[in-house]
């Protein structure tokens, strides 16, 4: 449940690859009524179109493809390696099917598809899938919308019943209230994920200048507030009728199924749904720029940003792959021109290039965030110099080898799960009509040449105009790269023909009772993967498991200590993570660039990291390249160079990132909450990356000493999962015997002070649009079958499930938040119970009341029979999804070593799960939910939130952003008052990069 807080993670979330533009003037949409008609099942037979099988070791996803009489395409991938099934329904409609004045419909309708249908109650989709032990989601982008579930294979029929009901029986369940609820949800979502997020409007602003007025890529997938405000429920219903027919959809099912089984169920549940209007593929001319277009905006950011974008080609165009190669050479990694010229010289915190393509267009984009002392004008020169340097250096054999090997390795890794294979088939069928298009893609990537890359550079980049967007801190307009010279010009725009006239809702007529939820088949047999154990003479404990699904090997080294070791000298907190970062750089024999190049050519990865409890090394390799990968692992592990220039650069970036965190309320909340729980003097009260003061104290000699003293096989566990046997892999790891063992003392954790009474702590974040809430106390250490495990069962219906009491109250009933949760987190030492959410500023006090009310009510009244049955079913059947991928197996096996768990501990957990009683759950609630002794913390706009908080009956204490008390005397209200009553529309869990949640 922890949230990473580095700038890179912030930007990865903010700069998602969606093209967007500024809001033009729009006319009010025409209101059209919706007619309801019933009809009988269409005549005709399901046709099998093709069957693709794998020959030898070729990289192919086997499948069978069918088309129902109503036009629904059905693709089935049969894979009995795990007792799970992934169901994906993709509709070929995204924001590109919208029109001026009605932006955001595709995403809006994604929300509506989770609001119930004729035979599925509002919000029941989540509950049914969760109770079945599955996961679910929905995503929208420019070109398609998809809905998917991963469930135990005995729940296949239930998943198909759910998807068919909302495809064919949705509109009668779409009410004005649901429409208004989700309209507010989408508006709030835009505020949180776009308007109020650093760099959140980058693609909206750049696409404003890149695409002509009216182009469907010239607005965000989430749409404009003014468009959402003006539409009505019939507009939305007509959008469904136009685009959500079975002939514009692909049903893809993969996993522990047979094609005959899937087709029979598809015919039953989808066959009677009437065909929709014809949908043709779109083709639009590429945007044309006659000069460089400069534009800018001010944002709540620490680092300014410059983005340069050139228009290119759509997905699957012959020039897409060579442009991808060019992007890698310019700014794709440690061997790129931008990295060499900007990152290595300490001019930027981030510099990159990419070439995201969509169905109608592509964008070649360079993005740079300079460190203080370097201007955006300087960065524009650096970008142009990078192209000039490319012209001189050209394309090397190494460039092509790295690109091709990395692509193939990424494809192999993406196919390690049933969900990955199924979604790949679905995407290719939707956009090319050929689920086997992976074969074409592999050929295109393997065939790309140096001449191809030089040709596309000359055709699309060299001397061509671009869009240059400056993002500058608020109040610093002078920091732009160049003065704005672009404005949207709507002249010449011609609205397309009306596509929504005369649409009718033709409801299917069945020969069975669709209102009856299908009964699941027998529960699949879940077995823990077989494993083996071994030990090196120097103390490394090894555990491994064979996995034959893909020809790869995953290795995970875990060294006890990490951030906890810094308790020996807290004045240098952050040294563990800085040491790990430095070990990702050069070795004695190779530079970081050499290592990166060799790993890319192998299609392998080696990554060092550090957390509160451990340092880690993650290794991924294809079996055929394992020996070469392990040779590079030996270099990095046992012979790090610890170069002074690398250290200086990483330390400078670390200090800048720490300063940047102060602008992020979520990070401030997590840091201050930890300080409150653990207290002054506890190493866990200090962030893992350290503070400005502690990182400034660290020298390169300190890092070398930390490595010498604590990087030891005596505290190391190694997990190996992949297509190798124990007898094959252990001799290859003989180099680890050279690693000298040292005695490592893990500092004992000091006792954490008890909370004497519940108080509210406030950290001021002036004019913040939301408040971050954390509520909790120090609870339990981890155990697999004792009170910790049982407490997680108790908490499942309180705050862990999507349909938990806390989440349904604060999000669905009150609309205060996109997601509210509670959880226990422990390790060898006690960890906290935490309840958390980001809520709207004007309901901060009310949100605290609702959090505490739900915790207190659960403690006093306990669990219901229905909730107990739901918890047992959801957690018990969910085991089917736990051990599928190599990383899932590795995490499972690592826990076994770390906590010295018995081989049958999962069976013991299941026994506890099935036998735990209401009385035991209720006793656990009384014991581990001490509402009278919890800390409540808010990070938000003090002027807005504090008056309401002071009326809640708790002592209110002000803290600064470092967690230090700044009031001489806390305020305690004389009278306990009810918070203000606010009843906004319901909300929904936040979408992540186009997801429904």
């Amino acid at each position: 449940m922890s949230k990473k807080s580095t700038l890179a993670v912030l930007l990865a979330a903010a700069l998602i690859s969606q093209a967007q533009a500024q809001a033009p003037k729009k006319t009010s949409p025409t209101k059209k009524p919706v007619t309801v008609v019933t009809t009988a099942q269409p005549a005709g037979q399901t046709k099998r179109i093709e069957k693709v099988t794998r020959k030898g070791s070729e990289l192919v996803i086997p499948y069978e493809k069918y088309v129902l009489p109503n036009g629904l395409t059905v693709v089935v991938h049969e894979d009995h390696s795990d007792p799970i099934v992934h169901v994906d329904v993709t509709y070929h409609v995204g924001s590109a099917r919208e029109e001026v004045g009605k932006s955001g419909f595709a995403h809006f309708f994604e929300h509506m598809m989770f609001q119930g249908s004729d035979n599925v109650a509002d919000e029941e989709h989540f509950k049914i899938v969760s109770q079945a032990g599955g996961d679910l989601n929905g995503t929208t982008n420019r070109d398609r919308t998809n809905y998917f579930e991963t469930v135990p294979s005995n729940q296949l029929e239930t998943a198909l019943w759910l998807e068919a009901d909302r495809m064919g029986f949705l509109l009668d369940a779409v009410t004005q209230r649901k429409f208004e609820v989700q309209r507010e949800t989408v508006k709030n979502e835009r505020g949180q994920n776009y308007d109020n997020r650093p760099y959140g409007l980058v693609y909206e602003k750049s696409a404003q200048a890149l695409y002509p007025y009216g182009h469907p890529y010239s607005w965000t997938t989430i749409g404009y507030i003014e468009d959402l405000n003006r539409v009505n429920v019939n507009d939305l219903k007509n959008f469904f009728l136009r685009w959500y027919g079975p002939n514009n959809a692909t049903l893809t099912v993969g996993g522990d199924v047979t094609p005959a089984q899937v087709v029979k169920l598809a015919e039953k549940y989808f066959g009677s749904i009437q065909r929709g209007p014809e949908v043709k593929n779109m083709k639009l001319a590429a945007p044309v720029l006659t000069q460089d277009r400069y534009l800018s905006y001010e944002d709540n950011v620490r680092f300014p940003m410059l983005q340069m974008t050139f228009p290119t080609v759509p997905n699957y165009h012959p020039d897409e792959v060579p442009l991808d190669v060019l992007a890698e050479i310019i700014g794709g990694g440690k061997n790129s021109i931008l990295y060499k010229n900007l990152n290595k010289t300490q001019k930027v915190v981030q510099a990159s290039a990419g070439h995201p393509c969509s169905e109608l267009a592509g964008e070649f984009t360079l993005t740079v965030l300079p460190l203080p002392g370097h201007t955006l004008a300087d960065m524009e020169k650096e970008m142009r110099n990078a192209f000039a340097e490319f012209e001189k250096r050209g394309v090397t054999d190494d460039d092509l080898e790295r690109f091709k090997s990395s692509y193939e390795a990424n494809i192999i890794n993406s196919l390690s799960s049933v969900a990955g294979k199924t979604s790949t088939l679905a995407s290719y069928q939707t956009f090319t009509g050929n689920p086997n298009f992976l074969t074409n893609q592999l050929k295109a990537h393997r065939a790309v040449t140096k001449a191809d890359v030089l040709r596309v550079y000359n055709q699309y980049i060299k001397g061509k105009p671009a869009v240059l967007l400056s993002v500058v801190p608020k109040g610093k307009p002078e920091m732009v790269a160049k003065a704005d010279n672009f404005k949207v010009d709507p002249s010449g725009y011609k609205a397309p023909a009306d596509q929504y006239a005369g649409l009718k809702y033709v409801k299917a007529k069945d020969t069975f009772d669709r209102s009856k939820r299908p009964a699941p088949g027998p529960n699949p047999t879940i077995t823990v993967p077989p494993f083996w154990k071994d030990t090196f003479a120097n103390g490394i404990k090894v555990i491994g498991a064979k996995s034959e699904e893909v020809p790869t090997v995953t290795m995970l080294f875990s060294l006890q200590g990490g951030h906890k070791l810094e308790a020996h000298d807290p004045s240098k907190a952050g040294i563990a993570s800085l040491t790990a970062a430095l070990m990702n750089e050069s070795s004695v024999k190779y530079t970081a660039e050499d290592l990166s190049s060799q790993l890319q050519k192998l299609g392998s990865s080696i990554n060092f990291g550090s957390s509160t409890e451990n340092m880690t090394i993650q290794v991924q390799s294809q079996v055929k390249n394992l020996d070469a990968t392990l040779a590079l692992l030996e270099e990095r592990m046992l012979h790090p160079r610890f170069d002074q220039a690398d250290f200086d650069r990483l330390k400078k970036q670390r200090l800048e990132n720490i300063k940047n965190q102060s602008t992020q309320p979520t990070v401030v909340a997590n840091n201050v909450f930890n300080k409150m729980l653990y207290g002054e003097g506890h190493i866990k009260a200090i962030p893992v990356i350290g503070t400005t003061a502690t990182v400034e104290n660290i020298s390169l000699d300190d890092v070398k000493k930390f490595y010498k003293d604590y990087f030891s096989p005596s505290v190391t566990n190694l997990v190996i999962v992949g297509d190798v046997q124990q007898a094959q892999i252990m001799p290859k790891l003989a180099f680890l015997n050279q690693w000298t063992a040292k005695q490592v003392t893990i500092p004992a954790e000091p006792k954490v002070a008890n909370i004497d009474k519940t108080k509210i702590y406030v950290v001021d974040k002036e004019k913040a649009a939301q408040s971050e809430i954390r509520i909790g106390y120090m609870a339990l250490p981890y155990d697999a079958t004792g009170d910790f495990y049982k407490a997680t069962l108790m908490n499942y219906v309180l705050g862990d499930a999507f349909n938990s009491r806390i989440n349904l109250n604060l999000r669905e009933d009150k609309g205060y938040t996109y997601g509210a949760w509670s959880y226990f987190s422990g390790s060898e030492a006690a960890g906290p119970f935490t309840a958390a959410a980001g809520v709207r500023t004007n309901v901060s006090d009310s949100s605290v009341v609702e959090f505490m009310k739900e915790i207190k009510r659960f403690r006093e009244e306990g669990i219901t029979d229905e909730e107990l049955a739901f918890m047992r079913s959801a957690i018990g059947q969910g085991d089917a999804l736990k051990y599928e991928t190599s990383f899932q197996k590795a995490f499972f096996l690592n826990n076994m070593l770390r906590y010295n768990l018995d081989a049958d501990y999962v069976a013991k957990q299941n026994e506890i799960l099935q036998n735990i009683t209401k009385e035991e759950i209720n006793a656990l609630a009384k014991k581990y939910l001490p509402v009278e002794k919890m800390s409540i913390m808010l990070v938000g706009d003090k002027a807005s939130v504090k008056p309401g908080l002071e009326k809640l009956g708790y002592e209110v204490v002000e803290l600064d952003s470092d967690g230090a008390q700044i009031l001489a005397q806390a305020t305690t209200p004389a009278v306990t008052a009810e918070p203000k009553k606010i009843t906004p529309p319901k909300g929904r869990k936040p979408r992540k990069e186009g997801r429904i949640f």
Side-chain angles (χ1 to χ4, degrees):
M1 301 296 293
S2 62
K3 297 182 179 178
K4 296 182 180 180
S5 54
T6 63
L7 179 67
V9 172
L10 169 68
L11 293 178
L15 304 182
I16 56 179
S17 180
Q18 300 176 347
Q20 293 133 355
Q22 81 172 24
K25 294 182 180 179
K26 306 174 182 70
T27 58
S28 298
T30 304
K31 299 179 181 180
K32 303 181 182 71
V34 177
T35 306
V36 179
V37 181
T38 59
T39 186
Q41 181 171 337
Q45 297 293 322
T46 297
K47 297 178 182 179
R48 191 176 85 170
I49 305 301
E50 62 181 340
K51 179 178 181 178
V52 171
T53 58
R54 179 184 291 112
K55 297 176 183 177
S57 60
E58 65 178 341
L59 199 54
V60 166
I61 310 171
Y63 67 89
E64 292 187 20
K65 174 180 170 181
Y66 300 81
V67 175
L68 270 58
N70 60 7
L72 177 69
T73 299
V74 180
V75 180
V76 186
H77 165 63
E78 187 173 357
D79 178 357
H80 301 290
S81 57
D82 293 284
I84 62 176
V85 60
H86 185 80
V87 174
D88 178 293
V89 180
T90 297
Y91 297 88
H92 196 172
V93 56
S95 57
R97 298 289 186 179
E98 298 161 359
E99 57 193 65
V100 171
K102 295 182 180 179
S103 65
F105 264 30
H107 165 248
F108 195 163
F109 210 90
E110 178 201 324
H111 278 250
M112 295 305 300
M113 288 281 275
F114 288 89
Q115 296 305 304
S117 48
D118 279 3
N119 303 297
V120 182
D122 187 14
E123 303 299 338
E124 279 292 298
H125 204 112
F126 293 103
K127 185 175 182 181
I128 289 170
V129 173
S130 298
Q131 190 168 13
D135 294 328
L136 72 160
N137 217 321
T139 72
T140 306
N141 65 26
R142 292 164 160 179
D143 306 310
R144 64 99 187 101
T145 307
N146 71 342
Y147 306 88
F148 49 91
E149 300 87 12
T150 306
V151 294
S153 52
N154 67 318
Q155 300 287 347
L156 168 65
E157 187 170 2
T158 296
L160 295 178
W161 169 72
L162 286 167
E163 290 296 349
D165 211 64
R166 59 182 173 185
M167 179 188 283
F169 302 86
L170 182 88
L171 290 193
D172 283 348
V174 175
T175 64
Q176 186 68 35
R177 170 164 172 72
K178 289 180 182 179
F179 173 82
E180 296 297 345
V181 165
Q182 293 311 311
R183 170 154 51 191
E184 291 306 310
T185 300
V186 174
K187 287 161 62 176
N188 288 333
E189 182 179 342
R190 177 182 165 101
Q192 177 169 314
N193 291 342
Y194 292 78
D195 300 321
N196 296 324
R197 172 173 289 180
Y199 312 103
L201 297 178
V202 163
Y203 284 100
E204 179 168 291
K205 298 295 186 180
S206 63
Q208 151 190 339
L210 184 63
Y211 296 100
Y213 180 89
H215 191 291
Y217 285 178
S218 67
W219 52 76
T220 61
T221 298
I222 203 166
Y224 297 111
I225 294 293
E226 55 267 36
D227 288 358
L228 294 168
N229 283 337
R230 71 162 59 93
V231 299
N232 62 52
V233 69
N234 282 331
D235 290 317
L236 196 69
K237 287 183 177 182
N238 275 294
F239 187 85
F240 172 80
L241 292 174
R242 179 65 185 90
W243 305 111
Y244 270 71
N247 50 305
N248 195 35
T250 298
L251 166 65
T252 311
V253 179
D256 188 19
V257 297
T258 64
Q261 175 190 17
V262 172
V263 169
K264 182 179 179 181
L265 292 172
E267 289 175 331
K268 175 180 179 180
Y269 289 110
F270 293 88
S272 62
I273 300 172
Q274 182 74 11
R275 198 180 175 91
E278 182 184 5
V279 177
K280 296 181 179 179
N281 287 341
M282 298 175 67
K283 285 191 177 181
L284 295 176
V288 176
L289 306 179
T290 57
Q291 64 175 5
D292 286 327
R293 295 179 175 178
Y294 290 87
L295 68 158
S296 64
Y297 77 98
E298 298 179 22
D299 201 355
N300 183 28
V301 295
R302 172 176 172 79
F303 303 106
M305 188 191 82
L306 181 65
Q307 185 175 87
M308 176 186 286
T309 305
F310 298 84
T312 61
V313 298
N315 257 339
Y316 312 127
H317 186 283
D319 291 343
E320 178 187 11
V321 174
L323 282 163
D324 290 344
V325 179
L326 178 63
E328 282 292 305
I329 295 170
I330 298 296
K334 288 187 175 180
N335 288 282
S336 70
I337 295 172
L338 289 179
Y339 185 87
K340 174 178 66 73
N341 293 347
L342 300 181
N343 293 74
K344 291 287 284 187
T345 56
Q346 301 186 38
K347 294 179 179 178
V348 301
V349 69
Q350 180 176 315
S352 62
H355 182 231
C357 292
S358 301
E359 187 175 17
L360 304 179
E363 299 155 17
F364 192 98
T365 302
L366 285 71
T367 305
V368 176
L369 286 84
L371 286 164
H374 303 277
T375 69
L376 293 186
D378 295 336
M379 294 302 103
E380 181 182 350
K381 293 177 183 177
E382 294 284 1
M383 289 176 173
R384 299 191 187 280
N385 289 340
F387 290 128
E389 183 173 335
F390 169 75
E391 292 184 31
K392 293 178 181 178
R393 79 183 281 282
V395 185
T396 67
D397 291 333
D398 274 1
D399 292 332
L400 293 180
E401 187 178 355
R402 283 195 301 267
F403 176 82
K404 295 176 182 182
S405 297
S406 294
Y407 174 80
E408 192 158 328
N410 290 336
I411 289 293
I412 291 172
N413 290 333
S414 74
L415 303 182
S416 63
S417 69
V418 167
K421 288 179 281 191
T422 304
S423 60
T424 298
L425 292 170
S427 180
Y428 285 141
Q429 169 58 35
T430 299
F431 294 119
T432 73
N434 176 15
N436 194 34
F437 201 76
L438 174 61
T439 302
N440 302 57
Q441 285 290 85
L442 285 167
K443 288 179 181 177
H445 283 75
R446 290 166 177 166
V448 66
T449 66
K450 297 178 184 178
D452 291 329
V453 180
L454 293 171
R455 174 180 55 79
V456 297
Y457 169 72
N458 288 318
Q459 183 173 349
Y460 300 101
I461 308 299
K462 183 177 181 180
K464 299 297 188 293
V467 170
L468 292 100
L469 171 67
S470 298
V471 184
V472 298
K474 288 186 176 179
K476 299 290 183 67
E478 70 279 3
M479 295 180 70
V480 300
K482 191 173 288 187
D484 293 9
N485 68 353
F486 172 78
K487 291 184 179 180
V488 172
D489 181 10
S491 63
Y493 169 72
K494 183 178 180 181
D498 183 10
Q499 301 189 70
Y500 298 94
L503 296 173
K504 297 180 179 180
Y505 180 22
V506 183
K507 189 179 290 192
K509 184 177 181 181
D510 292 308
T511 58
F512 67 98
D513 186 356
R514 196 179 283 265
S515 66
K516 292 183 178 179
R517 176 180 167 184
N523 282 348
T525 301
I526 310 300
T527 57
V528 175
F531 58 88
W532 50 266
K533 287 186 175 182
D534 212 327
T535 305
F536 283 88
N538 56 7
I540 303 173
K541 297 177 183 178
V542 188
I543 189 169
K546 185 147 177 23
S547 177
E548 300 175 341
E549 292 183 38
V550 288
T552 64
V553 177
T554 298
M555 301 173 63
L556 174 63
F557 292 83
S558 180
L559 289 77
Q560 297 175 53
H563 183 50
K564 286 172 62 175
L565 290 168
E566 296 164 5
H568 289 304
D569 186 1
S571 70
K572 291 181 170 59
I575 193 172
S577 63
L578 195 55
T579 301
L582 206 54
M583 293 182 75
N584 282 316
E585 297 294 327
S586 305
S587 72
V588 170
K589 190 182 294 186
Y590 302 112
T591 66
E593 292 78 10
D594 292 334
L595 288 165
S596 177
S597 179
Q598 292 186 57
L599 286 168
Q600 281 186 292
K601 287 190 280 187
L602 295 170
S604 302
S605 62
I606 300 172
N607 293 301
F608 291 76
S610 186
S611 64
T612 304
E613 311 280 349
N614 301 283
M615 290 184 72
T616 58
I617 312 164
Q618 295 184 35
V619 182
Q620 184 78 12
S621 173
Q622 295 178 64
V623 173
K624 66 181 181 181
N625 295 328
L626 184 58
D627 290 346
T629 302
L630 292 178
L632 297 178
L633 174 66
E634 178 181 357
E635 271 296 305
R636 273 201 160 150
M637 278 185 69
L638 305 185
H639 309 289
R641 184 181 300 184
F642 292 135
D643 182 79
Q644 184 69 52
D646 288 338
F647 173 79
D648 292 341
R649 171 173 49 84
L650 293 174
K651 179 176 176 178
K652 182 177 181 179
Q653 290 179 341
R654 174 68 56 87
L655 289 169
E656 289 296 334
N657 285 335
I658 290 171
K659 293 173 184 176
N660 182 64
Q661 286 186 348
S662 65
T663 68
Q664 304 170 49
T666 300
V667 179
V668 173
N670 292 336
N671 289 345
V672 174
F673 189 59
N674 282 337
K675 192 167 186 178
M676 289 169 51
L677 291 178
Y678 291 101
E680 291 284 353
H682 200 296
I683 194 62
K684 291 182 181 178
I686 304 174
V688 170
I689 66 170
T691 66
T692 298
T694 63
V695 172
E696 284 178 342
N697 283 338
I698 301 171
S699 68
L700 181 58
D701 286 340
D702 293 327
V703 169
K704 292 177 180 178
K705 186 175 188 302
F706 187 90
Y707 172 82
K708 179 176 178 292
D709 291 345
Y710 300 126
F711 196 79
S712 170
S714 60
V715 291
T716 299
N717 295 333
L718 169 59
V719 181
I720 305 169
V721 177
D723 195 11
V724 289
Q725 300 282 2
Q726 179 182 4
Q728 293 174 281
I729 188 68
M730 288 303 290
K732 296 178 185 294
L733 296 171
F735 71 90
L736 291 172
N737 288 308
Q738 305 168 27
W739 192 8
T740 304
K742 309 143 197 171
Q743 183 176 346
V744 177
T745 302
I746 309 294
E749 292 201 25
K751 187 176 180 180
V752 177
N754 292 325
I755 299 171
D756 59 346
K757 66 176 182 178
T758 297
K759 300 178 184 177
I760 296 178
Y761 299 85
V762 179
V763 178
D764 187 24
K765 196 67 182 171
E766 189 176 357
K767 296 182 180 178
Q770 286 198 313
S771 296
E772 286 291 334
I773 297 177
R774 304 291 184 271
I775 301 170
Y777 77 104
M778 291 304 298
L780 292 159
Y782 172 85
D783 66 63
T785 55
D787 271 12
F788 180 88
Y789 173 69
K790 294 174 183 177
T792 62
L793 300 181
M794 176 270 292
N795 178 67
Y796 188 76
V797 297
L798 172 63
D800 193 22
F802 185 87
N803 288 72
S804 68
R805 292 186 183 187
I806 288 173
N807 203 40
L808 288 181
N809 181 340
L810 273 80
R811 190 194 67 220
E812 297 300 328
D813 293 340
K814 305 294 191 307
Y816 293 167
T817 179
Y818 287 129
W821 315 98
S822 64
Y823 50 92
F824 288 89
S825 56
S827 59
E828 290 84 354
F833 166 81
T834 305
V839 303
R840 296 201 317 272
T841 294
N842 66 337
V843 295
S844 298
D845 53 350
S846 301
S847 297
V848 170
V849 169
E850 296 304 322
F851 260 120
M852 299 304 287
K853 182 180 78 176
E854 290 297 347
I855 297 170
K856 184 177 181 181
R857 184 166 69 92
F858 193 80
R859 183 190 185 194
E860 293 177 352
E861 299 175 9
I863 196 170
T864 66
D865 290 329
E866 181 183 1
E867 288 173 330
L868 181 60
F870 170 75
M871 182 268 290
R872 283 177 174 160
S873 177
I875 295 177
Q877 293 189 91
D879 280 346
L881 279 63
K882 285 183 180 177
Y883 316 117
E884 183 190 10
T885 68
S886 294
F887 281 105
Q888 286 176 310
K889 290 182 175 76
F891 180 80
F892 167 77
L893 294 173
N894 184 62
N895 264 4
M896 289 191 67
L897 273 190
R898 177 177 177 180
Y899 295 109
N900 194 28
L901 302 177
D902 295 332
D904 64 346
Y905 89 90
V906 172
K908 291 178 180 176
Q909 285 185 334
N910 286 329
E911 184 178 350
I912 293 169
L913 174 67
Q914 297 307 320
N915 293 321
I916 198 165
T917 65
K918 283 177 62 176
E919 290 73 23
E920 288 178 279
I921 292 287
N922 295 343
L924 289 162
K926 285 182 169 58
K927 185 175 183 180
Y928 295 117
L929 297 175
V931 290
E932 73 283 357
K933 293 185 178 181
M934 290 186 180
S935 291
I936 303 170
M937 191 206 64
L938 288 90
V939 176
D941 182 35
K942 181 183 70 173
S944 300
V945 305
K946 188 181 177 187
L949 296 174
E950 289 177 331
K951 298 176 182 178
L952 299 185
Y954 299 106
E955 182 179 348
V956 178
V957 180
E958 284 189 49
L959 304 174
D960 65 18
S961 60
D962 291 326
Q965 186 168 338
I966 58 175
L967 277 192
Q969 185 174 6
T971 58
T972 307
V975 180
T976 301
E978 288 293 319
K980 58 181 177 292
K981 300 295 184 181
I982 302 174
T983 311
K986 297 189 294 181
R988 176 174 293 285
K989 191 176 177 182
R991 296 168 66 253
K992 297 179 180 178
E993 298 184 9
R995 294 179 180 271
I996 189 70
F997 65 89

